[in-house]
Amino acid sequence: MTTLKEVLYEKIEAHRPRVTRLLKEHGNDVIDKVTVGQVLGGMRGIKSLVTDISYLDPMEGIRYRGLTLPEVFEKLPKPQGKEMPYVEGLYYLLLTGEVPTESQVADVIYDFSNRRLLPRYVFDIIDAFPNHSHPMAILSAAVMAMERESLFNTRYQQGMSKMDYWDPTYEDATNLLAKLPLIGAYIYDKLYLGKQNVYPDPTLDFGGNFAYMIDKDEPYDDVARMYFIIHADHESGNVSAHTGHLVASSLSDAYYATSGMINGLAGPLHGLANQEVLSWIQSVRAKMGNKKPTKEEMKKFVWDTLNSGQVIPGYGHAVLRKTDPRYQIQREFALKHMADDELFEYVSILYEVVPPILKEQGKAKNPWPNVDAQSGVIQWHYGVTQYDFYTVLFAIGRAFGVLSNVIWDRALGYPIERPKSITTAMMEEMVGIK
Ligand code: CMX
């Protein structure tokens, strides 16, 4: 059987001439223009990155390698009797653009299980963190500490052809991805369960093993698979994906790039919003003395939050202009498995109440919920009630997309990223302000 790495290499060889041709024959063709509003407004919408791993349509939502999320969930192989596909199969899809067969997935699962072991010093570093450290800071440091394991770095120091950069990058990325569940689980077990050890089950897949390691019963294994898959990629311009790409563009290795992307994801406007949603809902619940709010009461909480200058977490998006399909997939799961959950009812009321209010307020370009509006309550329902951990789960999923991109970046020889900055005075002069 051809391994994932061999299939990937064939794809890389087939793709390289396309980039060479674009550069050689169309290097000076114009594909976008840039306005002052875009430059001052966080570079929103400027077509300046290339990736074939995912594409985000504002109205349709994300596609991984051309497949919508419902198609991804339908087509990828699943463990027997489970609703959600293997995360390892997603890695195959993201890297190669092909839906793997059962046996191709089995091969990736076997490969991952051989790469799971975590060096002792990683546990020591996690243990050394002071109380009340945020799990995202611990995760970032644990990944960073493993940089000494980088094969890319070793091979680079020995002298390596540019054409081979992708190979040790693939090894680093796959080693790191295979170890992330153990790192995440150890952080969880230590911070919240007071455990000093964590043991993987070598017979389980990525999602199943993660559920096992944090002591969660079925169907949490499917929740973990769903969660890692929906968070994996959202094209290249979001903060976490872009940070990973940017850091790696200087030929910093996969460990540096992943630690960087984790740091970007940890902000409340990005991945941390899932934690913010839960804490916001909890504060509403506390104010209500645990009584479920009516729609009118909920409207007041939403307006109070807006009027105090805060954003409504879990709503709005820089690219999307409709309800996030990642929200929808989780909502369907919740309706099937936990329709009577009290906090899920809060989320459902918010879905009715928030969009009209954001429209009335008239600021947010997208009044609809994003992925983070739904994800925390599902975690809560299945016993992961420590909401500062939620972004760690997001990070483990996001690492698949970021690292798949970094491998392809090296395969296609994308250069160090270096946009140009100008001064405010230069900009004023360019637009005719004296
Ligand atoms: N609540 C209140 N105001 C909001 C809002 C929300 N949910 N979403 C956007 N706005 C406001 C913005 O703060 C901005 O206000 P100012 O003009 O005063 O600066 C205005 O509406 C226009 O913003 P926008 O162009 O619609 O949105 P941006 O592209 O600038 O920002 C995002 C996108 C996600 C940061 C923003 O919608 C937001 O802050 N949402 C809440 C936090 C959140 O859920 N983040 C998670 C996003 C998904 C993810 O990455 O995980």
Side-chain angles (χ1 to χ4, degrees):
M1 187 181 66
T2 329
T3 64
L4 166 58
K5 194 170 172 185
E6 286 162 349
V7 176
L8 173 62
Y9 182 54
E10 283 168 19
K11 302 279 172 189
I12 289 170
E13 287 284 277
H15 199 111
R16 279 175 168 159
R18 294 172 65 192
V19 178
T20 308
R21 181 176 178 198
L22 277 168
L23 268 173
K24 207 168 150 195
E25 296 177 19
H26 300 279
N28 291 322
D29 291 10
V30 176
I31 57 166
D32 209 352
K33 62 181 172 45
V34 179
T35 65
V36 169
Q38 287 175 306
V39 174
L40 292 179
M43 298 190 278
R44 212 63 94 252
I46 302 173
K47 295 186 193 78
S48 55
L49 294 159
V50 187
T51 176
D52 297 289
I53 287 166
S54 69
Y55 180 74
L56 180 59
D57 180 87
M59 301 310 289
E60 184 191 55
I62 192 68
R63 278 181 186 257
Y64 294 162
R65 290 287 187 176
L67 301 178
T68 62
L69 282 182
E71 287 166 349
V72 167
F73 281 96
E74 189 214 313
K75 287 181 192 288
L76 284 181
K78 301 176 178 69
Q80 214 171 7
K82 299 294 175 185
E83 275 179 59
M84 299 295 165
Y86 290 113
V87 182
E88 291 90 336
L90 177 82
Y91 188 44
Y92 196 107
L93 173 70
L94 294 182
L95 279 180
T96 66
E98 286 179 10
V99 174
T101 62
E102 297 269 353
S103 71
Q104 284 167 327
V105 175
D107 189 49
V108 182
I109 293 172
Y110 180 70
D111 187 30
F112 267 49
S113 69
N114 286 332
R115 296 173 187 258
R116 268 179 193 165
L117 273 187
L118 212 50
R120 180 66 244 172
Y121 66 82
V122 181
F123 296 102
D124 295 340
I125 282 161
I126 296 171
D127 288 345
F129 263 78
N131 284 345
H132 307 301
S133 299
H134 195 281
M136 284 294 274
I138 306 177
L139 177 68
S140 175
V143 169
M144 196 65 278
M146 282 196 299
E147 193 279 329
R148 66 193 284 283
E149 313 292 333
S150 171
L151 296 169
F152 178 88
N153 213 0
T154 309
R155 293 265 309 270
Y156 190 83
Q157 300 306 327
Q158 290 164 350
M160 165 174 49
S161 158
K162 210 174 169 179
M163 297 301 276
D164 295 335
Y165 284 176
W166 73 273
D167 183 322
T169 304
Y170 170 87
E171 295 299 329
D172 282 352
T174 313
N175 283 337
L176 179 51
L177 287 169
K179 293 176 198 317
L180 278 178
L182 192 56
I183 301 176
Y186 185 64
I187 293 172
Y188 184 87
D189 289 356
K190 190 184 152 54
L191 290 185
Y192 313 119
L193 307 184
K195 287 202 209 165
Q196 295 301 323
N197 284 304
V198 61
Y199 299 104
D201 180 339
T203 65
L204 295 173
D205 66 298
F206 195 94
N209 185 43
F210 182 75
Y212 170 79
M213 288 188 293
I214 65 164
D215 275 353
K216 298 290 174 270
D217 297 329
E218 292 177 344
Y220 188 83
D221 55 339
D222 263 342
V223 171
R225 291 183 194 100
M226 171 178 72
Y227 207 89
F228 296 142
I229 290 174
I230 60 173
H231 287 92
D233 209 28
H234 222 219
E235 68 173 40
S236 289
N238 64 79
V239 170
S240 51
H242 191 194
T243 308
H245 165 79
L246 173 65
V247 172
S249 82
S250 71
L251 299 188
S252 284
D253 57 55
Y255 297 89
Y256 283 122
T258 304
S259 181
M261 85 84 179
I262 290 168
N263 300 343
L265 191 67
L269 296 187
H270 193 15
L272 203 81
N274 56 14
Q275 153 177 348
E276 302 285 291
V277 170
L278 237 283
S279 84
W280 188 82
I281 289 179
Q282 295 288 7
S283 77
V284 172
R285 183 154 88 157
K287 278 181 200 151
M288 291 298 298
N290 287 339
K291 179 184 90 60
K292 197 169 91 185
T294 61
K295 269 194 211 169
E296 287 314 307
E297 286 164 335
M298 194 63 112
K299 281 182 192 168
K300 184 178 171 336
F301 285 119
V302 172
W303 274 117
D304 286 350
T305 302
L306 288 175
N307 291 336
S308 67
Q310 299 169 66
V311 294
I312 306 300
Y315 281 77
H317 200 271
V319 178
L320 281 169
R321 294 295 176 259
K322 65 159 244 185
T323 297
D324 192 335
R326 301 172 300 173
Y327 174 94
Q328 212 63 50
I329 278 170
Q330 294 183 93
R331 181 167 173 78
E332 278 157 28
F333 183 91
L335 284 169
K336 184 166 173 194
H337 293 281
M338 45 178 274
D340 297 335
D341 181 276
E342 192 200 341
L343 290 185
F344 177 57
E345 288 177 18
Y346 276 62
V347 169
S348 297
I349 300 175
L350 284 169
Y351 193 22
E352 289 179 51
V353 161
V354 175
I357 293 181
L358 286 178
K359 280 185 197 166
E360 190 182 329
Q361 193 207 28
K363 279 171 73 175
K365 293 188 189 70
N366 178 42
W368 303 106
N370 60 57
V371 63
D372 298 313
Q374 182 73 79
S375 43
V377 282
I378 298 181
Q379 295 296 332
W380 182 279
H381 180 83
Y382 290 107
V384 183
T385 52
Q386 303 82 2
Y387 38 82
D388 56 356
F389 190 70
Y390 297 166
T391 317
V392 171
L393 301 169
F394 194 151
I396 295 173
R398 181 53 52 94
F400 279 88
V402 168
L403 287 168
S404 299
N405 271 293
V406 168
I407 295 165
W408 271 96
D409 289 348
R410 297 291 72 78
L412 300 177
Y414 287 148
I416 187 165
E417 202 173 279
R418 199 352 178 148
K420 181 80 187 86
S421 56
I422 53 175
T423 65
T424 309
M426 286 174 185
M427 186 177 272
E428 286 166 341
E429 198 186 321
M430 282 173 177
V431 298
I433 296 175
K434 298 248 162 34

